[in-house]
Amino acid sequence: KQEVTQIPAALSVPEGENLVLNCSFTDSAIYNLQWFRQDPGKGLTSLLLIQSSQREQTSGRLNASLDKSSGRSTLYIAASQPGDSATYLCAVILSYFSSNDYKLSFGAGTTVTVRA
Amino acid sequence: ETGVTQTPRHLVMGMTNKKSLKCEQHLGHNAMYWYKQSAKKPLELMFVYSLEERVENNSVPSRFSPECPNSSHLFLHLHTLQPEDSALYLCASSQVSTESNYGYTFGSGTRLTVV
């Protein structure tokens, strides 16, 4: 069974500092990995999707790397802002499955607070 | 409308009530999902529908009953729930094939409180 772990569970930084969020998974045979953001009591917003053949994806201040062999992904957020305060979730999709559908395995998330 | 829409946003129900959660996706995706998010716990997959056929029932109690009448709509029918069923229920959709996956899109969720 795929286990997804996110460290740290919570992170508080002053505005302007770079954020580094870690995600590890036990089964390296993943199809792709997706990073989400969740604001309190709200749904999930997709940030970045990394296919298994890719090493990284970038969008604005966000950069996510993927190292399948070591079972790790890292989300970098440059020059953090108070609006970046949220919970960040990592999810992986296995490359093998019993039917033609794709299921996500989620980590518990990292709750980020950016202090003004 | 675009994306994945869930209604209602908030729901309070008694343990003897019957209610339904609704999800609608406007993305042309062919798979839809129900997830449960309880406080301090990772998201739990409840049901998966691929091409309108249920392909997963992840040991969910029978008091939760899904329905997928077409590829754009997904319902979760609730009856005789327990207080521990109080949670955020999230709907998601994706486009699945053997060739590609463009990731998941989630709705804003329904906050359910069972009293």
Side-chain angles (χ1 to χ4, degrees), chain B residues 30-91:
Chain B
N30 60 3
M32 298 185 76
Y33 311 79
W34 280 117
Y35 279 85
K36 176 183 178 181
Q37 187 177 37
S38 304
K40 308 296 184 185
K41 293 175 68 175
L43 273 78
E44 302 171 58
L45 177 65
M46 299 177 73
F47 300 104
V48 179
Y49 277 84
S50 178
L51 301 175
E52 302 166 35
E53 178 182 344
R54 188 194 306 181
V55 294
E56 179 83 15
N57 180 348
N58 214 22
S59 302
V60 179
S62 59
R63 57 185 182 271
F64 295 91
S65 175
E67 178 189 2
C68 186
N70 54 62
S71 60
S72 299
H73 294 86
L74 185 65
F75 296 90
L76 188 61
H77 303 299
L78 316 171
H79 64 97
T80 59
L81 295 191
Q82 304 298 312
E84 60 264 29
D85 296 323
S86 299
L88 181 67
Y89 288 84
L90 290 162
C91 174

Short mmCIF file of all heavy atoms in Angstrom, two decimals, chain B residues 30-91:
data_model
loop_
_atom_site.label_atom_id
_atom_site.label_comp_id
_atom_site.label_asym_id
_atom_site.label_seq_id
_atom_site.Cartn_x
_atom_site.Cartn_y
_atom_site.Cartn_z
N ASN B 30 -14.14 11.93 -17.40
CA ASN B 30 -14.88 10.67 -17.44
C ASN B 30 -14.79 9.88 -16.14
O ASN B 30 -15.20 8.73 -16.08
CB ASN B 30 -14.43 9.81 -18.62
CG ASN B 30 -12.95 9.46 -18.54
OD1 ASN B 30 -12.27 9.82 -17.59
ND2 ASN B 30 -12.46 8.76 -19.55
N ALA B 31 -14.23 10.46 -15.10
CA ALA B 31 -14.18 9.79 -13.80
C ALA B 31 -14.50 10.80 -12.70
O ALA B 31 -14.08 11.96 -12.78
CB ALA B 31 -12.81 9.17 -13.55
N MET B 32 -15.23 10.35 -11.70
CA MET B 32 -15.59 11.21 -10.58
C MET B 32 -15.39 10.46 -9.28
O MET B 32 -15.48 9.22 -9.23
CB MET B 32 -17.04 11.71 -10.70
CG MET B 32 -17.26 12.56 -11.95
SD MET B 32 -18.91 13.27 -12.05
CE MET B 32 -18.78 14.62 -10.84
N TYR B 33 -15.14 11.22 -8.21
CA TYR B 33 -14.73 10.62 -6.94
C TYR B 33 -15.40 11.35 -5.77
O TYR B 33 -15.64 12.56 -5.82
CB TYR B 33 -13.21 10.78 -6.76
CG TYR B 33 -12.38 10.36 -7.95
CD1 TYR B 33 -12.24 11.19 -9.06
CD2 TYR B 33 -11.71 9.13 -7.96
CE1 TYR B 33 -11.48 10.80 -10.15
CE2 TYR B 33 -10.95 8.74 -9.05
CZ TYR B 33 -10.84 9.59 -10.14
OH TYR B 33 -10.09 9.19 -11.22
N TRP B 34 -15.64 10.61 -4.70
CA TRP B 34 -16.00 11.19 -3.41
C TRP B 34 -14.87 10.91 -2.43
O TRP B 34 -14.42 9.76 -2.29
CB TRP B 34 -17.29 10.58 -2.85
CG TRP B 34 -18.55 11.12 -3.42
CD1 TRP B 34 -19.49 10.44 -4.15
CD2 TRP B 34 -19.06 12.47 -3.30
NE1 TRP B 34 -20.53 11.27 -4.49
CE2 TRP B 34 -20.29 12.52 -3.98
CE3 TRP B 34 -18.59 13.63 -2.68
CZ2 TRP B 34 -21.07 13.68 -4.08
CZ3 TRP B 34 -19.36 14.78 -2.78
CH2 TRP B 34 -20.58 14.80 -3.46
N TYR B 35 -14.45 11.99 -1.73
CA TYR B 35 -13.47 11.88 -0.68
C TYR B 35 -14.08 12.43 0.61
O TYR B 35 -14.90 13.36 0.59
CB TYR B 35 -12.22 12.71 -1.00
CG TYR B 35 -11.24 12.05 -1.93
CD1 TYR B 35 -11.39 12.14 -3.31
CD2 TYR B 35 -10.16 11.33 -1.44
CE1 TYR B 35 -10.49 11.54 -4.17
CE2 TYR B 35 -9.25 10.72 -2.29
CZ TYR B 35 -9.42 10.83 -3.66
OH TYR B 35 -8.53 10.23 -4.50
N LYS B 36 -13.61 11.89 1.73
CA LYS B 36 -14.00 12.39 3.04
C LYS B 36 -12.76 12.96 3.72
O LYS B 36 -11.69 12.34 3.71
CB LYS B 36 -14.57 11.25 3.90
CG LYS B 36 -14.90 11.65 5.32
CD LYS B 36 -15.39 10.46 6.13
CE LYS B 36 -15.67 10.85 7.56
NZ LYS B 36 -16.11 9.69 8.38
N GLN B 37 -12.91 14.15 4.30
CA GLN B 37 -11.80 14.75 5.03
C GLN B 37 -12.26 15.07 6.45
O GLN B 37 -13.06 15.99 6.65
CB GLN B 37 -11.30 16.01 4.34
CG GLN B 37 -10.02 16.57 4.98
CD GLN B 37 -9.48 17.78 4.24
OE1 GLN B 37 -10.24 18.59 3.74
NE2 GLN B 37 -8.16 17.89 4.16
N SER B 38 -11.73 14.31 7.40
CA SER B 38 -12.02 14.56 8.82
C SER B 38 -10.87 15.36 9.41
O SER B 38 -9.76 15.38 8.87
CB SER B 38 -12.17 13.24 9.57
OG SER B 38 -13.18 12.44 8.98
N ALA B 39 -11.14 15.98 10.54
CA ALA B 39 -10.12 16.82 11.18
C ALA B 39 -8.87 16.00 11.49
O ALA B 39 -8.96 14.88 11.99
CB ALA B 39 -10.68 17.43 12.45
N LYS B 40 -7.72 16.55 11.15
CA LYS B 40 -6.42 15.98 11.48
C LYS B 40 -6.15 14.63 10.81
O LYS B 40 -5.29 13.89 11.27
CB LYS B 40 -6.27 15.82 13.01
CG LYS B 40 -6.56 17.08 13.80
CD LYS B 40 -5.61 18.18 13.51
CE LYS B 40 -5.88 19.39 14.40
NZ LYS B 40 -5.01 20.54 14.05
N LYS B 41 -6.89 14.31 9.76
CA LYS B 41 -6.68 13.03 9.07
C LYS B 41 -6.49 13.29 7.58
O LYS B 41 -7.04 14.24 7.04
CB LYS B 41 -7.88 12.10 9.29
CG LYS B 41 -8.03 11.62 10.71
CD LYS B 41 -9.30 10.80 10.88
CE LYS B 41 -9.25 9.49 10.15
NZ LYS B 41 -10.45 8.66 10.41
N PRO B 42 -5.71 12.41 6.91
CA PRO B 42 -5.59 12.57 5.45
C PRO B 42 -6.92 12.32 4.76
O PRO B 42 -7.81 11.67 5.31
CB PRO B 42 -4.57 11.48 5.08
CG PRO B 42 -3.87 11.13 6.33
CD PRO B 42 -4.87 11.34 7.43
N LEU B 43 -7.02 12.80 3.54
CA LEU B 43 -8.23 12.54 2.77
C LEU B 43 -8.42 11.05 2.57
O LEU B 43 -7.47 10.31 2.30
CB LEU B 43 -8.14 13.21 1.40
CG LEU B 43 -8.59 14.66 1.32
CD1 LEU B 43 -7.51 15.57 1.86
CD2 LEU B 43 -8.94 15.03 -0.10
N GLU B 44 -9.66 10.62 2.68
CA GLU B 44 -9.99 9.21 2.51
C GLU B 44 -10.85 9.05 1.26
O GLU B 44 -11.90 9.69 1.15
CB GLU B 44 -10.78 8.69 3.71
CG GLU B 44 -10.10 8.84 5.05
CD GLU B 44 -11.06 8.51 6.18
OE1 GLU B 44 -11.58 7.36 6.19
OE2 GLU B 44 -11.32 9.37 7.03
N LEU B 45 -10.42 8.18 0.37
CA LEU B 45 -11.22 7.89 -0.81
C LEU B 45 -12.43 7.06 -0.41
O LEU B 45 -12.30 6.05 0.29
CB LEU B 45 -10.39 7.12 -1.83
CG LEU B 45 -11.10 6.68 -3.10
CD1 LEU B 45 -11.54 7.88 -3.92
CD2 LEU B 45 -10.20 5.77 -3.93
N MET B 46 -13.61 7.48 -0.86
CA MET B 46 -14.84 6.74 -0.57
C MET B 46 -15.31 5.94 -1.78
O MET B 46 -15.49 4.74 -1.72
CB MET B 46 -15.93 7.70 -0.12
CG MET B 46 -15.62 8.49 1.13
SD MET B 46 -16.93 9.67 1.53
CE MET B 46 -18.23 8.55 2.12
N PHE B 47 -15.55 6.64 -2.87
CA PHE B 47 -16.10 6.00 -4.07
C PHE B 47 -15.43 6.56 -5.32
O PHE B 47 -15.05 7.73 -5.37
CB PHE B 47 -17.61 6.24 -4.18
CG PHE B 47 -18.41 5.72 -3.04
CD1 PHE B 47 -18.91 6.57 -2.07
CD2 PHE B 47 -18.67 4.36 -2.92
CE1 PHE B 47 -19.65 6.10 -1.01
CE2 PHE B 47 -19.41 3.86 -1.86
CZ PHE B 47 -19.90 4.73 -0.90
N VAL B 48 -15.33 5.70 -6.33
CA VAL B 48 -14.82 6.10 -7.63
C VAL B 48 -15.81 5.65 -8.69
O VAL B 48 -16.27 4.50 -8.66
CB VAL B 48 -13.45 5.45 -7.93
CG1 VAL B 48 -12.95 5.86 -9.32
CG2 VAL B 48 -12.43 5.80 -6.87
N TYR B 49 -16.13 6.53 -9.60
CA TYR B 49 -16.91 6.16 -10.78
C TYR B 49 -16.08 6.46 -12.01
O TYR B 49 -15.61 7.58 -12.20
CB TYR B 49 -18.22 6.95 -10.84
CG TYR B 49 -19.32 6.37 -10.01
CD1 TYR B 49 -19.42 6.65 -8.65
CD2 TYR B 49 -20.27 5.52 -10.57
CE1 TYR B 49 -20.42 6.10 -7.88
CE2 TYR B 49 -21.28 4.97 -9.81
CZ TYR B 49 -21.36 5.26 -8.46
OH TYR B 49 -22.35 4.72 -7.70
N SER B 50 -15.91 5.45 -12.84
CA SER B 50 -15.20 5.63 -14.08
C SER B 50 -16.14 5.23 -15.20
O SER B 50 -16.65 4.11 -15.19
CB SER B 50 -13.93 4.78 -14.12
OG SER B 50 -13.27 4.92 -15.36
N LEU B 51 -16.37 6.16 -16.12
CA LEU B 51 -17.32 5.91 -17.22
C LEU B 51 -18.68 5.50 -16.65
O LEU B 51 -19.33 4.59 -17.16
CB LEU B 51 -16.79 4.85 -18.18
CG LEU B 51 -15.46 5.19 -18.84
CD1 LEU B 51 -14.94 4.03 -19.67
CD2 LEU B 51 -15.60 6.44 -19.67
N GLU B 52 -19.08 6.17 -15.57
CA GLU B 52 -20.38 6.02 -14.91
C GLU B 52 -20.56 4.68 -14.21
O GLU B 52 -21.64 4.37 -13.70
CB GLU B 52 -21.52 6.24 -15.92
CG GLU B 52 -21.46 7.62 -16.58
CD GLU B 52 -22.34 7.73 -17.78
OE1 GLU B 52 -23.42 7.11 -17.78
OE2 GLU B 52 -21.97 8.43 -18.73
N GLU B 53 -19.50 3.91 -14.13
CA GLU B 53 -19.59 2.63 -13.43
C GLU B 53 -18.76 2.71 -12.15
O GLU B 53 -17.61 3.16 -12.17
CB GLU B 53 -19.05 1.51 -14.32
CG GLU B 53 -19.07 0.14 -13.67
CD GLU B 53 -18.48 -0.92 -14.57
OE1 GLU B 53 -18.36 -0.66 -15.78
OE2 GLU B 53 -18.15 -2.00 -14.07
N ARG B 54 -19.36 2.26 -11.05
CA ARG B 54 -18.62 2.31 -9.79
C ARG B 54 -17.51 1.27 -9.83
O ARG B 54 -17.76 0.08 -10.04
CB ARG B 54 -19.54 2.03 -8.62
CG ARG B 54 -18.84 2.27 -7.27
CD ARG B 54 -19.59 1.69 -6.10
NE ARG B 54 -20.96 2.11 -6.01
CZ ARG B 54 -21.78 1.72 -5.02
NH1 ARG B 54 -21.34 0.93 -4.08
NH2 ARG B 54 -23.02 2.12 -5.01
N VAL B 55 -16.29 1.72 -9.62
CA VAL B 55 -15.17 0.79 -9.64
C VAL B 55 -14.49 0.70 -8.30
O VAL B 55 -13.51 0.00 -8.14
CB VAL B 55 -14.14 1.21 -10.72
CG1 VAL B 55 -14.74 1.08 -12.09
CG2 VAL B 55 -13.65 2.63 -10.49
N GLU B 56 -14.98 1.40 -7.33
CA GLU B 56 -14.36 1.35 -6.01
C GLU B 56 -15.41 1.61 -4.95
O GLU B 56 -16.21 2.52 -5.08
CB GLU B 56 -13.27 2.42 -5.89
CG GLU B 56 -12.56 2.47 -4.55
CD GLU B 56 -11.45 1.47 -4.43
OE1 GLU B 56 -11.05 0.93 -5.47
OE2 GLU B 56 -10.96 1.22 -3.33
N ASN B 57 -15.43 0.81 -3.95
CA ASN B 57 -16.22 1.07 -2.77
C ASN B 57 -15.31 0.78 -1.60
O ASN B 57 -15.13 -0.36 -1.22
CB ASN B 57 -17.46 0.18 -2.73
CG ASN B 57 -18.31 0.44 -1.49
OD1 ASN B 57 -17.88 1.10 -0.57
ND2 ASN B 57 -19.51 -0.09 -1.49
N ASN B 58 -14.70 1.80 -1.10
CA ASN B 58 -13.57 1.64 -0.20
C ASN B 58 -14.00 1.35 1.23
O ASN B 58 -13.70 2.10 2.14
CB ASN B 58 -12.72 2.92 -0.26
CG ASN B 58 -11.24 2.62 -0.10
OD1 ASN B 58 -10.79 1.52 -0.33
ND2 ASN B 58 -10.49 3.62 0.29
N SER B 59 -14.74 0.26 1.40
CA SER B 59 -15.19 -0.16 2.74
C SER B 59 -15.99 0.93 3.43
O SER B 59 -15.80 1.20 4.62
CB SER B 59 -13.98 -0.55 3.61
OG SER B 59 -13.24 -1.57 3.00
N VAL B 60 -16.84 1.57 2.65
CA VAL B 60 -17.66 2.64 3.20
C VAL B 60 -18.96 2.06 3.75
O VAL B 60 -19.58 1.20 3.10
CB VAL B 60 -17.97 3.68 2.10
CG1 VAL B 60 -18.85 4.80 2.64
CG2 VAL B 60 -16.67 4.24 1.54
N PRO B 61 -19.40 2.52 4.93
CA PRO B 61 -20.67 2.01 5.49
C PRO B 61 -21.84 2.23 4.55
O PRO B 61 -21.87 3.22 3.79
CB PRO B 61 -20.83 2.82 6.78
CG PRO B 61 -19.45 3.28 7.13
CD PRO B 61 -18.74 3.47 5.83
N SER B 62 -22.81 1.35 4.62
CA SER B 62 -23.95 1.40 3.70
C SER B 62 -24.84 2.61 3.93
O SER B 62 -25.71 2.90 3.09
CB SER B 62 -24.79 0.13 3.85
OG SER B 62 -25.25 0.00 5.18
N ARG B 63 -24.65 3.36 5.00
CA ARG B 63 -25.43 4.57 5.20
C ARG B 63 -25.02 5.67 4.21
O ARG B 63 -25.68 6.70 4.11
CB ARG B 63 -25.32 5.05 6.64
CG ARG B 63 -23.91 5.33 7.13
CD ARG B 63 -23.95 5.69 8.63
NE ARG B 63 -22.64 6.02 9.16
CZ ARG B 63 -21.80 5.14 9.67
NH1 ARG B 63 -22.14 3.86 9.73
NH2 ARG B 63 -20.62 5.54 10.15
N PHE B 64 -23.92 5.43 3.49
CA PHE B 64 -23.51 6.31 2.39
C PHE B 64 -23.79 5.57 1.08
O PHE B 64 -23.28 4.45 0.87
CB PHE B 64 -22.03 6.64 2.46
CG PHE B 64 -21.63 7.44 3.65
CD1 PHE B 64 -21.24 6.81 4.83
CD2 PHE B 64 -21.66 8.83 3.62
CE1 PHE B 64 -20.88 7.56 5.94
CE2 PHE B 64 -21.29 9.59 4.72
CZ PHE B 64 -20.90 8.95 5.88
N SER B 65 -24.56 6.18 0.20
CA SER B 65 -24.93 5.52 -1.05
C SER B 65 -24.67 6.45 -2.21
O SER B 65 -25.33 7.49 -2.35
CB SER B 65 -26.41 5.13 -1.00
OG SER B 65 -26.83 4.60 -2.23
N PRO B 66 -23.72 6.12 -3.10
CA PRO B 66 -23.42 7.00 -4.23
C PRO B 66 -24.33 6.71 -5.41
O PRO B 66 -24.89 5.62 -5.55
CB PRO B 66 -21.97 6.65 -4.55
CG PRO B 66 -21.89 5.19 -4.23
CD PRO B 66 -22.81 4.97 -3.05
N GLU B 67 -24.42 7.71 -6.28
CA GLU B 67 -25.17 7.55 -7.52
C GLU B 67 -24.51 8.41 -8.58
O GLU B 67 -24.18 9.57 -8.33
CB GLU B 67 -26.63 7.99 -7.34
CG GLU B 67 -27.46 7.89 -8.61
CD GLU B 67 -28.84 8.53 -8.48
OE1 GLU B 67 -29.13 9.08 -7.40
OE2 GLU B 67 -29.58 8.51 -9.47
N CYS B 68 -24.32 7.83 -9.75
CA CYS B 68 -23.70 8.57 -10.86
C CYS B 68 -24.58 8.38 -12.10
O CYS B 68 -24.36 7.46 -12.88
CB CYS B 68 -22.28 8.07 -11.10
SG CYS B 68 -21.35 9.02 -12.33
N PRO B 69 -25.57 9.24 -12.30
CA PRO B 69 -26.50 9.06 -13.41
C PRO B 69 -25.88 9.32 -14.78
O PRO B 69 -26.35 8.77 -15.78
CB PRO B 69 -27.61 10.07 -13.11
CG PRO B 69 -26.93 11.11 -12.27
CD PRO B 69 -25.91 10.39 -11.46
N ASN B 70 -24.84 10.14 -14.82
CA ASN B 70 -24.13 10.40 -16.08
C ASN B 70 -22.73 10.90 -15.74
O ASN B 70 -22.41 11.10 -14.56
CB ASN B 70 -24.88 11.41 -16.96
CG ASN B 70 -25.20 12.69 -16.23
OD1 ASN B 70 -24.29 13.40 -15.78
ND2 ASN B 70 -26.48 12.99 -16.08
N SER B 71 -21.93 11.13 -16.74
CA SER B 71 -20.52 11.44 -16.48
C SER B 71 -20.32 12.82 -15.88
O SER B 71 -19.22 13.14 -15.44
CB SER B 71 -19.72 11.34 -17.79
OG SER B 71 -20.23 12.25 -18.75
N SER B 72 -21.37 13.64 -15.83
CA SER B 72 -21.21 14.99 -15.30
C SER B 72 -21.74 15.16 -13.89
O SER B 72 -21.47 16.18 -13.26
CB SER B 72 -21.94 16.01 -16.20
OG SER B 72 -21.41 16.00 -17.50
N HIS B 73 -22.49 14.20 -13.41
CA HIS B 73 -23.16 14.34 -12.12
C HIS B 73 -22.85 13.17 -11.20
O HIS B 73 -22.81 12.01 -11.63
CB HIS B 73 -24.68 14.45 -12.30
CG HIS B 73 -25.11 15.69 -13.01
ND1 HIS B 73 -25.16 15.77 -14.39
CD2 HIS B 73 -25.50 16.90 -12.53
CE1 HIS B 73 -25.57 16.97 -14.73
NE2 HIS B 73 -25.78 17.69 -13.64
N LEU B 74 -22.67 13.52 -9.93
CA LEU B 74 -22.40 12.53 -8.90
C LEU B 74 -23.14 12.94 -7.65
O LEU B 74 -23.13 14.11 -7.27
CB LEU B 74 -20.89 12.44 -8.63
CG LEU B 74 -20.41 11.38 -7.66
CD1 LEU B 74 -20.67 9.98 -8.21
CD2 LEU B 74 -18.92 11.56 -7.38
N PHE B 75 -23.80 11.98 -7.04
CA PHE B 75 -24.54 12.24 -5.80
C PHE B 75 -24.01 11.33 -4.69
O PHE B 75 -23.48 10.24 -4.94
CB PHE B 75 -26.04 11.96 -5.99
CG PHE B 75 -26.71 12.87 -6.98
CD1 PHE B 75 -26.77 12.53 -8.32
CD2 PHE B 75 -27.29 14.06 -6.57
CE1 PHE B 75 -27.39 13.37 -9.25
CE2 PHE B 75 -27.92 14.90 -7.48
CZ PHE B 75 -27.96 14.55 -8.81
N LEU B 76 -24.18 11.81 -3.47
CA LEU B 76 -23.92 10.97 -2.30
C LEU B 76 -25.15 11.05 -1.41
O LEU B 76 -25.43 12.11 -0.83
CB LEU B 76 -22.67 11.46 -1.55
CG LEU B 76 -22.19 10.56 -0.42
CD1 LEU B 76 -21.81 9.18 -0.94
CD2 LEU B 76 -21.01 11.19 0.33
N HIS B 77 -25.89 9.96 -1.34
CA HIS B 77 -27.11 9.91 -0.55
C HIS B 77 -26.76 9.47 0.87
O HIS B 77 -26.02 8.50 1.07
CB HIS B 77 -28.12 8.94 -1.17
CG HIS B 77 -28.46 9.28 -2.60
ND1 HIS B 77 -29.04 10.49 -2.95
CD2 HIS B 77 -28.29 8.58 -3.75
CE1 HIS B 77 -29.22 10.51 -4.26
NE2 HIS B 77 -28.77 9.37 -4.77
N LEU B 78 -27.32 10.20 1.83
CA LEU B 78 -26.98 10.00 3.24
C LEU B 78 -28.24 9.61 4.02
O LEU B 78 -29.29 10.23 3.85
CB LEU B 78 -26.41 11.29 3.83
CG LEU B 78 -25.38 12.04 2.97
CD1 LEU B 78 -25.08 13.41 3.59
CD2 LEU B 78 -24.12 11.21 2.83
N HIS B 79 -28.12 8.60 4.88
CA HIS B 79 -29.26 8.27 5.75
C HIS B 79 -28.75 7.63 7.03
O HIS B 79 -27.79 6.87 7.03
CB HIS B 79 -30.25 7.37 5.02
CG HIS B 79 -29.70 6.04 4.65
ND1 HIS B 79 -29.90 4.90 5.42
CD2 HIS B 79 -28.94 5.63 3.60
CE1 HIS B 79 -29.30 3.87 4.84
NE2 HIS B 79 -28.72 4.28 3.75
N THR B 80 -29.44 7.95 8.11
CA THR B 80 -29.11 7.46 9.46
C THR B 80 -27.63 7.58 9.77
O THR B 80 -26.95 6.61 10.13
CB THR B 80 -29.58 6.01 9.67
OG1 THR B 80 -28.96 5.15 8.71
CG2 THR B 80 -31.08 5.93 9.56
N LEU B 81 -27.10 8.79 9.58
CA LEU B 81 -25.67 9.02 9.85
C LEU B 81 -25.40 9.11 11.34
O LEU B 81 -26.31 9.27 12.16
CB LEU B 81 -25.22 10.30 9.15
CG LEU B 81 -25.25 10.30 7.63
CD1 LEU B 81 -24.52 11.53 7.09
CD2 LEU B 81 -24.64 9.04 7.05
N GLN B 82 -24.12 9.02 11.66
CA GLN B 82 -23.64 9.12 13.03
C GLN B 82 -22.86 10.42 13.20
O GLN B 82 -22.33 10.96 12.23
CB GLN B 82 -22.73 7.93 13.35
CG GLN B 82 -23.39 6.57 13.12
CD GLN B 82 -24.59 6.37 14.00
OE1 GLN B 82 -24.53 6.61 15.20
NE2 GLN B 82 -25.71 5.95 13.42
N PRO B 83 -22.74 10.90 14.43
CA PRO B 83 -21.96 12.14 14.64
C PRO B 83 -20.54 12.06 14.10
O PRO B 83 -20.01 13.07 13.61
CB PRO B 83 -21.99 12.32 16.16
CG PRO B 83 -23.28 11.68 16.58
CD PRO B 83 -23.44 10.49 15.67
N GLU B 84 -19.93 10.88 14.13
CA GLU B 84 -18.56 10.74 13.62
C GLU B 84 -18.47 10.86 12.10
O GLU B 84 -17.36 10.90 11.53
CB GLU B 84 -17.94 9.41 14.07
CG GLU B 84 -18.68 8.17 13.60
CD GLU B 84 -19.65 7.65 14.64
OE1 GLU B 84 -20.17 8.46 15.44
OE2 GLU B 84 -19.89 6.42 14.63
N ASP B 85 -19.61 10.92 11.44
CA ASP B 85 -19.62 11.15 9.99
C ASP B 85 -19.49 12.63 9.64
O ASP B 85 -19.36 12.98 8.46
CB ASP B 85 -20.91 10.60 9.37
CG ASP B 85 -21.03 9.10 9.52
OD1 ASP B 85 -19.99 8.40 9.41
OD2 ASP B 85 -22.16 8.61 9.76
N SER B 86 -19.51 13.48 10.65
CA SER B 86 -19.32 14.91 10.41
C SER B 86 -17.92 15.12 9.83
O SER B 86 -16.93 14.67 10.40
CB SER B 86 -19.46 15.69 11.72
OG SER B 86 -20.76 15.53 12.26
N ALA B 87 -17.87 15.82 8.69
CA ALA B 87 -16.59 15.98 7.98
C ALA B 87 -16.82 16.88 6.78
O ALA B 87 -17.94 17.31 6.50
CB ALA B 87 -16.04 14.63 7.52
N LEU B 88 -15.74 17.16 6.07
CA LEU B 88 -15.81 17.85 4.79
C LEU B 88 -15.82 16.78 3.70
O LEU B 88 -14.91 15.94 3.65
CB LEU B 88 -14.61 18.78 4.62
CG LEU B 88 -14.55 19.60 3.32
CD1 LEU B 88 -15.68 20.63 3.29
CD2 LEU B 88 -13.20 20.29 3.20
N TYR B 89 -16.85 16.80 2.87
CA TYR B 89 -16.95 15.81 1.78
C TYR B 89 -16.59 16.51 0.47
O TYR B 89 -17.22 17.50 0.08
CB TYR B 89 -18.35 15.20 1.74
CG TYR B 89 -18.57 14.28 2.92
CD1 TYR B 89 -18.97 14.78 4.15
CD2 TYR B 89 -18.29 12.91 2.82
CE1 TYR B 89 -19.11 13.94 5.25
CE2 TYR B 89 -18.42 12.07 3.91
CZ TYR B 89 -18.84 12.60 5.12
OH TYR B 89 -18.97 11.77 6.22
N LEU B 90 -15.58 15.96 -0.18
CA LEU B 90 -15.05 16.57 -1.38
C LEU B 90 -15.32 15.69 -2.59
O LEU B 90 -15.12 14.47 -2.55
CB LEU B 90 -13.54 16.78 -1.24
CG LEU B 90 -13.12 17.85 -0.24
CD1 LEU B 90 -11.66 17.69 0.15
CD2 LEU B 90 -13.35 19.24 -0.81
N CYS B 91 -15.72 16.32 -3.65
CA CYS B 91 -15.91 15.66 -4.94
C CYS B 91 -14.75 16.06 -5.84
O CYS B 91 -14.24 17.19 -5.77
CB CYS B 91 -17.24 16.10 -5.54
SG CYS B 91 -17.55 15.51 -7.21
#
